[in-house]
Amino acid sequence: MAAIRATEDPGIAIEFLHEEVEEITQAPDPAAATRGMVLAAAVTVPIAGPLMTDAATEIAEAIAHRKADLQETDEGHGVEVVFPTTALTLGRWEIQEIRPLPTTVRSVSMAETFASLRSQAAPTAASRGEDLYVFARDPEGRVQYNRTGRGGAFEGWEEVPGDMVSSSQPAAVARGGEVLVFVTDADGRVVSNRVGEDGSFAGWEPVPGDVRTDTAVGVGSRGGTVFVFARVDEDRIVFNQLLPDGTYDGWQDKSIAFR
């Protein structure tokens, strides 16, 4: 039967035996035949399986559209249809390669491919509806994120868009239908990004005000207001408020000294 594996390319590969290729290419409805095989294979796959189950129709349609290539590539043992790993996070199931079986491309761990990241600082997390977002700073200072959806499995680490190199670990907070993440940039300025209800990021923006810090910020929310706390010179703690209308109230120093 069809099988799903993570490959060292890297990629997500679905293997179809010769008999399954014939079934797909000869079926009155190739997409329906393929979908049944994908669903049966996804049940046994950790991490990626629930996501591929949700996307089974799209995956099947992409494969059925290339049924002539399946038949041409099959040398009698079947084929392997390869998708990019980003399909799990971006939801675009575009075929990367079709190759004959057996293949010399090694398998790798699903967990290693989609759930591992090395970070020298603690991660942070916030939830929005059924989605849990986890943020971490990689060894190069890039801000990475991972998330779970309805299936409960993590989709895999991906860089937060915007080419940000941070000098501190991120801090995340949820507000309404969005998740906000804050970091300090290379100059010590506090910047933020936000992911909305459609799952897209808005882009990095500086928090207004002339505040510099060499440590991570703290964030929290009350009602519709987000509080951002920063440690500045002389160990003072200042804070800013992101108001419900989307504007900042300005950095305030209430002489909260930390000793």
Side-chain angles (χ1 to χ4, degrees), residues 23-61:
E23 181 180 343
I24 292 170
T25 56
Q26 297 173 13
D29 187 344
T34 306
R35 184 176 185 276
M37 297 177 192
V38 171
L39 288 172
V43 170
T44 63
V45 179
I47 301 176
L51 298 168
M52 296 184 75
T53 296
D54 289 343
T57 298
E58 185 176 352
I59 294 170
E61 290 175 350

Short mmCIF file of all heavy atoms in Angstrom, two decimals, residues 23-61:
data_model
loop_
_atom_site.label_atom_id
_atom_site.label_comp_id
_atom_site.label_asym_id
_atom_site.label_seq_id
_atom_site.Cartn_x
_atom_site.Cartn_y
_atom_site.Cartn_z
N GLU A 23 -3.69 1.53 -10.89
CA GLU A 23 -5.04 1.83 -10.42
C GLU A 23 -5.37 3.30 -10.59
O GLU A 23 -6.48 3.66 -11.02
CB GLU A 23 -5.19 1.41 -8.95
CG GLU A 23 -6.58 1.66 -8.39
CD GLU A 23 -6.70 1.25 -6.94
OE1 GLU A 23 -5.83 0.49 -6.44
OE2 GLU A 23 -7.67 1.68 -6.28
N ILE A 24 -4.42 4.16 -10.26
CA ILE A 24 -4.63 5.61 -10.39
C ILE A 24 -4.83 6.00 -11.84
O ILE A 24 -5.75 6.75 -12.20
CB ILE A 24 -3.45 6.39 -9.77
CG1 ILE A 24 -3.42 6.20 -8.25
CG2 ILE A 24 -3.54 7.88 -10.13
CD1 ILE A 24 -2.16 6.73 -7.61
N THR A 25 -3.96 5.51 -12.71
CA THR A 25 -3.99 5.94 -14.11
C THR A 25 -5.18 5.37 -14.87
O THR A 25 -5.61 5.94 -15.88
CB THR A 25 -2.68 5.54 -14.82
OG1 THR A 25 -2.47 4.12 -14.69
CG2 THR A 25 -1.49 6.28 -14.22
N GLN A 26 -5.73 4.25 -14.40
CA GLN A 26 -6.84 3.62 -15.10
C GLN A 26 -8.20 3.91 -14.47
O GLN A 26 -9.24 3.57 -15.05
CB GLN A 26 -6.62 2.11 -15.16
CG GLN A 26 -5.38 1.70 -15.96
CD GLN A 26 -5.09 0.21 -15.87
OE1 GLN A 26 -5.93 -0.57 -15.41
NE2 GLN A 26 -3.90 -0.19 -16.31
N ALA A 27 -8.21 4.54 -13.32
CA ALA A 27 -9.46 4.80 -12.61
C ALA A 27 -10.31 5.84 -13.33
O ALA A 27 -9.78 6.80 -13.91
CB ALA A 27 -9.18 5.26 -11.19
N PRO A 28 -11.66 5.69 -13.32
CA PRO A 28 -12.53 6.72 -13.90
C PRO A 28 -12.33 8.08 -13.22
O PRO A 28 -12.46 9.12 -13.86
CB PRO A 28 -13.94 6.16 -13.64
CG PRO A 28 -13.74 4.70 -13.45
CD PRO A 28 -12.41 4.54 -12.79
N ASP A 29 -12.04 8.03 -11.91
CA ASP A 29 -11.78 9.27 -11.15
C ASP A 29 -10.42 9.11 -10.46
O ASP A 29 -10.35 8.64 -9.31
CB ASP A 29 -12.88 9.50 -10.12
CG ASP A 29 -12.77 10.85 -9.42
OD1 ASP A 29 -11.69 11.47 -9.51
OD2 ASP A 29 -13.76 11.27 -8.79
N PRO A 30 -9.33 9.46 -11.13
CA PRO A 30 -7.98 9.27 -10.56
C PRO A 30 -7.78 9.99 -9.23
O PRO A 30 -7.10 9.47 -8.34
CB PRO A 30 -7.06 9.84 -11.64
CG PRO A 30 -7.85 9.75 -12.90
CD PRO A 30 -9.26 10.00 -12.50
N ALA A 31 -8.38 11.16 -9.08
CA ALA A 31 -8.20 11.92 -7.83
C ALA A 31 -8.84 11.18 -6.66
O ALA A 31 -8.27 11.12 -5.56
CB ALA A 31 -8.78 13.31 -7.96
N ALA A 32 -10.02 10.60 -6.86
CA ALA A 32 -10.69 9.87 -5.79
C ALA A 32 -9.90 8.63 -5.40
O ALA A 32 -9.76 8.31 -4.21
CB ALA A 32 -12.10 9.49 -6.22
N ALA A 33 -9.37 7.93 -6.40
CA ALA A 33 -8.57 6.74 -6.10
C ALA A 33 -7.31 7.11 -5.33
O ALA A 33 -6.93 6.44 -4.37
CB ALA A 33 -8.20 6.04 -7.41
N THR A 34 -6.69 8.19 -5.72
CA THR A 34 -5.46 8.64 -5.05
C THR A 34 -5.76 9.10 -3.63
O THR A 34 -5.00 8.82 -2.70
CB THR A 34 -4.80 9.79 -5.84
OG1 THR A 34 -4.61 9.39 -7.19
CG2 THR A 34 -3.47 10.18 -5.22
N ARG A 35 -6.87 9.80 -3.45
CA ARG A 35 -7.22 10.31 -2.12
C ARG A 35 -7.38 9.18 -1.12
O ARG A 35 -6.93 9.28 0.02
CB ARG A 35 -8.50 11.14 -2.19
CG ARG A 35 -8.90 11.79 -0.88
CD ARG A 35 -10.13 12.68 -1.05
NE ARG A 35 -10.42 13.39 0.19
CZ ARG A 35 -11.13 12.88 1.19
NH1 ARG A 35 -11.63 11.65 1.09
NH2 ARG A 35 -11.37 13.60 2.28
N GLY A 36 -8.00 8.09 -1.54
CA GLY A 36 -8.17 6.96 -0.64
C GLY A 36 -6.83 6.39 -0.21
O GLY A 36 -6.65 6.01 0.96
N MET A 37 -5.88 6.33 -1.12
CA MET A 37 -4.55 5.81 -0.79
C MET A 37 -3.82 6.76 0.15
O MET A 37 -3.14 6.32 1.08
CB MET A 37 -3.74 5.63 -2.08
CG MET A 37 -4.31 4.63 -3.05
SD MET A 37 -3.33 4.53 -4.57
CE MET A 37 -4.43 3.58 -5.62
N VAL A 38 -3.94 8.07 -0.08
CA VAL A 38 -3.27 9.05 0.78
C VAL A 38 -3.83 8.98 2.19
O VAL A 38 -3.09 9.01 3.18
CB VAL A 38 -3.42 10.47 0.19
CG1 VAL A 38 -2.93 11.53 1.18
CG2 VAL A 38 -2.68 10.60 -1.13
N LEU A 39 -5.15 8.90 2.32
CA LEU A 39 -5.76 8.84 3.64
C LEU A 39 -5.32 7.58 4.40
O LEU A 39 -5.04 7.64 5.60
CB LEU A 39 -7.28 8.86 3.51
CG LEU A 39 -7.91 10.20 3.09
CD1 LEU A 39 -9.39 10.03 2.82
CD2 LEU A 39 -7.68 11.26 4.17
N ALA A 40 -5.27 6.46 3.71
CA ALA A 40 -4.85 5.22 4.35
C ALA A 40 -3.41 5.29 4.83
O ALA A 40 -3.06 4.78 5.90
CB ALA A 40 -5.03 4.04 3.40
N ALA A 41 -2.55 5.95 4.06
CA ALA A 41 -1.14 6.06 4.43
C ALA A 41 -0.92 7.07 5.55
O ALA A 41 -0.08 6.88 6.44
CB ALA A 41 -0.31 6.44 3.21
N ALA A 42 -1.70 8.16 5.54
CA ALA A 42 -1.50 9.24 6.52
C ALA A 42 -1.83 8.82 7.94
O ALA A 42 -1.29 9.38 8.90
CB ALA A 42 -2.33 10.46 6.12
N VAL A 43 -2.71 7.84 8.09
CA VAL A 43 -3.14 7.39 9.43
C VAL A 43 -1.95 6.93 10.27
O VAL A 43 -1.93 7.11 11.49
CB VAL A 43 -4.17 6.25 9.30
CG1 VAL A 43 -4.44 5.62 10.66
CG2 VAL A 43 -5.47 6.78 8.71
N THR A 44 -0.94 6.37 9.64
CA THR A 44 0.18 5.77 10.38
C THR A 44 1.38 6.71 10.51
O THR A 44 2.40 6.32 11.06
CB THR A 44 0.65 4.49 9.67
OG1 THR A 44 1.14 4.83 8.35
CG2 THR A 44 -0.48 3.50 9.53
N VAL A 45 1.26 7.94 10.03
CA VAL A 45 2.40 8.85 9.99
C VAL A 45 2.35 9.85 11.14
O VAL A 45 1.36 10.58 11.27
CB VAL A 45 2.46 9.60 8.65
CG1 VAL A 45 3.64 10.56 8.60
CG2 VAL A 45 2.56 8.60 7.50
N PRO A 46 3.40 9.94 11.98
CA PRO A 46 3.42 10.93 13.05
C PRO A 46 3.68 12.33 12.51
O PRO A 46 4.29 12.49 11.46
CB PRO A 46 4.58 10.47 13.94
CG PRO A 46 5.50 9.76 12.98
CD PRO A 46 4.61 9.10 11.98
N ILE A 47 3.21 13.32 13.22
CA ILE A 47 3.46 14.73 12.95
C ILE A 47 2.81 15.21 11.66
O ILE A 47 1.92 16.05 11.68
CB ILE A 47 4.97 15.06 12.94
CG1 ILE A 47 5.60 14.68 14.28
CG2 ILE A 47 5.22 16.53 12.65
CD1 ILE A 47 7.09 14.86 14.34
N ALA A 48 3.25 14.68 10.50
CA ALA A 48 2.72 15.16 9.23
C ALA A 48 1.37 14.54 8.88
O ALA A 48 0.60 15.12 8.11
CB ALA A 48 3.72 14.87 8.11
N GLY A 49 1.08 13.36 9.45
CA GLY A 49 -0.13 12.64 9.08
C GLY A 49 -1.42 13.42 9.20
O GLY A 49 -2.21 13.48 8.25
N PRO A 50 -1.71 14.04 10.36
CA PRO A 50 -2.96 14.80 10.49
C PRO A 50 -3.08 15.94 9.48
O PRO A 50 -4.17 16.22 8.97
CB PRO A 50 -2.90 15.33 11.93
CG PRO A 50 -2.01 14.37 12.65
CD PRO A 50 -0.98 13.96 11.64
N LEU A 51 -1.97 16.59 9.19
CA LEU A 51 -1.99 17.69 8.23
C LEU A 51 -2.25 17.19 6.82
O LEU A 51 -2.98 17.80 6.04
CB LEU A 51 -0.66 18.45 8.27
CG LEU A 51 -0.34 19.10 9.62
CD1 LEU A 51 1.11 19.56 9.66
CD2 LEU A 51 -1.27 20.26 9.88
N MET A 52 -1.67 16.03 6.48
CA MET A 52 -1.88 15.46 5.15
C MET A 52 -3.28 14.90 5.02
O MET A 52 -3.85 14.89 3.93
CB MET A 52 -0.82 14.40 4.87
CG MET A 52 0.59 14.97 4.83
SD MET A 52 1.87 13.78 4.39
CE MET A 52 1.58 13.61 2.62
N THR A 53 -3.86 14.45 6.12
CA THR A 53 -5.26 14.01 6.10
C THR A 53 -6.17 15.18 5.74
O THR A 53 -7.06 15.06 4.90
CB THR A 53 -5.66 13.42 7.46
OG1 THR A 53 -4.89 12.25 7.71
CG2 THR A 53 -7.14 13.07 7.49
N ASP A 54 -5.93 16.33 6.37
CA ASP A 54 -6.73 17.52 6.08
C ASP A 54 -6.56 17.96 4.63
O ASP A 54 -7.49 18.51 4.03
CB ASP A 54 -6.33 18.67 7.01
CG ASP A 54 -6.78 18.44 8.44
OD1 ASP A 54 -7.66 17.58 8.65
OD2 ASP A 54 -6.25 19.11 9.35
N ALA A 55 -5.36 17.76 4.08
CA ALA A 55 -5.06 18.22 2.71
C ALA A 55 -5.17 17.11 1.68
O ALA A 55 -4.71 17.27 0.54
CB ALA A 55 -3.65 18.81 2.68
N ALA A 56 -5.79 15.98 2.03
CA ALA A 56 -5.80 14.81 1.15
C ALA A 56 -6.40 15.11 -0.22
O ALA A 56 -5.90 14.62 -1.25
CB ALA A 56 -6.57 13.67 1.82
N THR A 57 -7.44 15.90 -0.27
CA THR A 57 -8.07 16.21 -1.56
C THR A 57 -7.12 16.99 -2.45
O THR A 57 -6.97 16.68 -3.65
CB THR A 57 -9.37 16.99 -1.34
OG1 THR A 57 -10.30 16.19 -0.60
CG2 THR A 57 -10.00 17.38 -2.67
N GLU A 58 -6.47 17.99 -1.89
CA GLU A 58 -5.54 18.81 -2.68
C GLU A 58 -4.34 17.97 -3.15
O GLU A 58 -3.89 18.09 -4.29
CB GLU A 58 -5.06 20.00 -1.87
CG GLU A 58 -4.20 20.97 -2.66
CD GLU A 58 -3.82 22.20 -1.86
OE1 GLU A 58 -4.35 22.36 -0.75
OE2 GLU A 58 -2.98 22.97 -2.35
N ILE A 59 -3.83 17.13 -2.26
CA ILE A 59 -2.70 16.27 -2.61
C ILE A 59 -3.10 15.32 -3.75
O ILE A 59 -2.37 15.15 -4.73
CB ILE A 59 -2.24 15.45 -1.39
CG1 ILE A 59 -1.67 16.39 -0.32
CG2 ILE A 59 -1.20 14.41 -1.79
CD1 ILE A 59 -1.41 15.70 1.01
N ALA A 60 -4.28 14.71 -3.61
CA ALA A 60 -4.74 13.76 -4.62
C ALA A 60 -4.94 14.43 -5.98
O ALA A 60 -4.60 13.85 -7.02
CB ALA A 60 -6.04 13.11 -4.15
N GLU A 61 -5.48 15.62 -5.97
CA GLU A 61 -5.70 16.32 -7.24
C GLU A 61 -4.38 16.66 -7.93
O GLU A 61 -4.27 16.57 -9.15
CB GLU A 61 -6.53 17.59 -7.00
CG GLU A 61 -7.98 17.30 -6.62
CD GLU A 61 -8.76 18.55 -6.28
OE1 GLU A 61 -8.12 19.62 -6.14
OE2 GLU A 61 -9.99 18.46 -6.14
#
